[in-house]
Structure formats: C-alpha cells, structure tokens
Amino acid sequence: MGLDIEKVAMLTGMVDKLVQIKRVDKALDENVVENNRIGYKPTFPLLGQCLVNLERFDDAIIILTKAIEYGYGDYSFLYRGRSYLRKKDADIENAIYDLEYFLSLIKSDESYSKNDFATTYYYLGNAYLEKASSLKDSNFINAENNFVKSIELYNKAIEYDKDSYIYYRDLGIAHTIFNQEEKAVLYFKKSLEINENQPEIIKMLNNLNSN
C-alpha cells in the first residue's frame, strides 16, 4: 500500500508548526522584560510576526506593544501591524488610534514613501467603514459620520496612488453598504478599468445595473 502524500504533507506541516511554536515560546521566555530593559533583546518585531503566522494574535499584540514601548523596529510595521491585529480582534477604536498615531509620526518624515501614506489612509478608511457598518442599525447618524470619514480616507489614499484598483473597489463597496448605488457603480467601473479580472465586482456591478 502506497503512501498517502496529502496525509504525509499534512502531518509534516503539523510537526513543523509544533516545532515553530516551541521555538517561539522559548524565545518569548528569553525575552521577558520586567519594568526596565534588563534582559531585553531586539527580537520583538520578529517574534510578533511569528506569532501572527501561528495565529496567536493576543500574544502578538503584546509583543508589538513592547517593541513600540522600547522604540525598536519599523514603526510602519509595528503600528500598522498592531492595528491590523486589533481590528481582527474587533478592537476598532484602538485600531484606528494606531493608524492615526502612525500618520502623525510620518507626516514630517521624508523617508516614508507615497505608498506608505496611501496604504495607511486605505487601512484607516477600512477601519472607519467597519465602525460605520457596525453602527448602521443602532446609531445611524454616528454610522453615517464614520462612513463619510471612511470615504475621505479612501480618497486620500487615491491622492497618493491613483492606479490602485483596490481603493476604487472598496469605495464602491462602501457606497453599496450605504445604499449609494450610483456612486458605487462609478467606482466599480473605475476599479475594473484598472483590473478587469474581478469576478465578484463584475457580479456586484451587474446586480446594481439590473436594479
């Protein structure tokens, strides 16, 4: 009877993951920091990424917070990474805080590229849209204010990168969520002009056009 290649691959992957977990836990133990920097090793950003890969998001947030606290690592990764994890953990307010604080840090720093600004405004737009969507049924006025904010941020992202189909796509999705079909159609068409290989957007556009 021959080997089941898929099962072998699955078991190998499980073993690799267990080994990685053991290594990460050991690294975490070695990097325990009390109330000062004694024993601190500059591996927090790397550990944070490893924990994300292992889907240990709460631990990753703690580690990235430590890295920020000690000023070690690329702020682009640390703040945007922590914001992503907080958003994943449904902590939208703190996710927004991280992105807005990161923007305040880089506005006068010429080392950051247009893409850094574009992606940060885009992520921030996503966070405000998620907040708006969560409030839509319970507090429409507040939801609408957050929706307007998300639209401003998506457009800000486009100022830095006019060739991203993703920004136009998500503008279309945002307008769809808040029943602004004409604007949604406009942005979906713009997104498809840049990248026509978007079957889900084509489907949404066809549905809007048939209404």
Side-chain angles (χ1 to χ4, degrees), residues 25-83:
D25 284 336
K26 185 174 185 296
L28 285 171
D29 289 340
E30 289 175 353
N31 281 277
V32 170
V33 180
E34 300 298 334
N35 295 323
N36 52 44
R37 295 188 185 208
I38 294 173
Y40 168 66
K41 296 179 181 179
T43 55
F44 285 126
L46 179 60
L47 281 175
Q49 186 59 61
C50 288
L51 288 162
V52 170
N53 294 341
L54 294 170
E55 297 184 1
R56 289 170 55 177
F57 302 124
D58 288 343
D59 286 337
I61 289 172
I62 292 169
I63 289 298
L64 293 184
T65 300
K66 287 289 185 187
I68 290 169
E69 198 176 311
Y70 298 130
Y72 186 85
D74 176 11
Y75 277 133
S76 174
F77 168 72
L78 297 176
Y79 277 102
R80 290 197 304 202
R82 190 173 70 173
S83 173

Side-chain angles (χ1 to χ4, degrees), residues 139-151:
N139 188 340
F140 188 76
I141 293 175
N142 199 357
E144 196 167 37
N145 289 337
N146 282 283
F147 163 70
V148 169
K149 182 71 174 176
S150 74
I151 298 303

Side-chain angles (χ1 to χ4, degrees), residues 8 14 38 83 102 133 137 148 154 164 167 187 193 205:
V8 170
M14 289 172 64
I38 294 173
S83 173
F102 171 63
S133 299
D137 294 330
V148 169
Y154 286 139
S164 172
Y167 302 162
Y187 288 117
E193 284 175 14
L205 183 58

Side-chain angles (χ1 to χ4, degrees), residues 31 35 38 61 85 99 109 117 126-127 145 155 181 203:
N31 281 277
N35 295 323
I38 294 173
I61 289 172
L85 294 171
L99 290 171
D109 190 336
F117 283 98
N126 281 346
N145 289 337
N155 281 310
E181 287 84 0
K203 185 178 178 181

Side-chain angles (χ1 to χ4, degrees), residues 84-96:
Y84 165 79
L85 294 171
R86 284 174 159 175
K87 187 167 173 285
K88 201 170 183 65
D89 204 32
D91 186 1
I92 300 297
E93 292 295 340
N94 278 318
I96 288 172

Side-chain angles (χ1 to χ4, degrees), residues 4-18:
D4 187 324
I5 301 300
E6 287 187 4
K7 284 186 178 178
V8 170
M10 182 184 73
L11 290 170
T12 302
M14 289 172 64
V15 171
D16 288 345
K17 192 165 186 177
L18 287 170

